[in-house]
Amino acid sequence: MSVTVDGDDIEADDIVLVATRLPASDDPTKCKVSLRVITIAGTVIVGAKVTTRLANCKTIAQSSLVLNGVHEPTTTNANGIAVLELARGVTIVITVRTRDEEVELTYTVPDAASGDATVEV
C-alpha cells in the first residue's frame, strides 16, 4: 500500500487510524469542546492561555440566566490542545493568548449530546 505523508510517498503494510473522542461531561447541561491551537504553518502552540466569556446572556427559563456557562482559564498542552467544558447552547467568546498575539473567536456550543466538538484556531 502506498500513502503520502507530508508530500513524500512511503510504503506501509498496515496503517491504523484511531479516532479519539472526548469523554462525555458528568454534567448533562455541559459540552466538552477540544480547542487545538496551531500556527498558520500547522505547528502546535504549547502553553497558549485560553479564556472564555459569555457572548450574550441566555435565558433558560423565565427570570433565569446562564452565569456559569464558561470554563476556568487554562493553557494548551504538549499537543496544543485545551479541553473546555461549556454550557450547552450558549454563545461564548474564546480568547487565546500567546507571547506574540491574541485571537478571539465567537463559538456557539452544541446543544445536543452528540454535538461535542473540536474547534481549531
Side-chain angles (χ1 to χ4, degrees), residues 11-77:
E11 290 295 322
D13 294 328
D14 294 311
I15 296 176
V16 177
L17 302 177
V18 179
T20 57
R21 292 184 54 109
L22 295 174
S25 173
D26 293 335
D27 181 345
T29 67
K30 293 195 175 181
C31 172
K32 286 193 178 178
V33 175
S34 173
L35 177 74
R36 183 170 178 248
V37 182
I38 58 173
T39 67
I40 197 162
T43 305
V44 300
I45 299 176
V46 177
K49 184 178 179 183
V50 179
T51 57
T52 56
R53 63 179 164 81
L54 289 173
N56 51 35
C57 291
K58 178 177 178 166
T59 303
I60 56 173
Q62 189 171 3
S63 301
S64 298
L65 296 174
V66 173
L67 295 179
N68 65 343
V70 296
H71 192 271
E72 294 294 317
T74 189
T75 56
T76 55
N77 64 18

Side-chain angles (χ1 to χ4, degrees), residues 77-121:
N77 64 18
N79 297 317
I81 295 172
V83 176
L84 312 173
E85 194 163 348
L86 306 165
R88 293 190 181 282
V90 299
T91 300
I92 61 160
V93 175
I94 300 173
T95 303
V96 179
R97 290 180 185 88
T98 65
R99 288 186 308 239
D100 302 327
E101 62 184 297
E102 178 177 296
V103 176
E104 280 193 354
L105 66 102
T106 302
Y107 176 70
T108 301
V109 182
D111 205 13
S114 63
D116 290 355
T118 299
V119 179
E120 197 162 284
V121 178

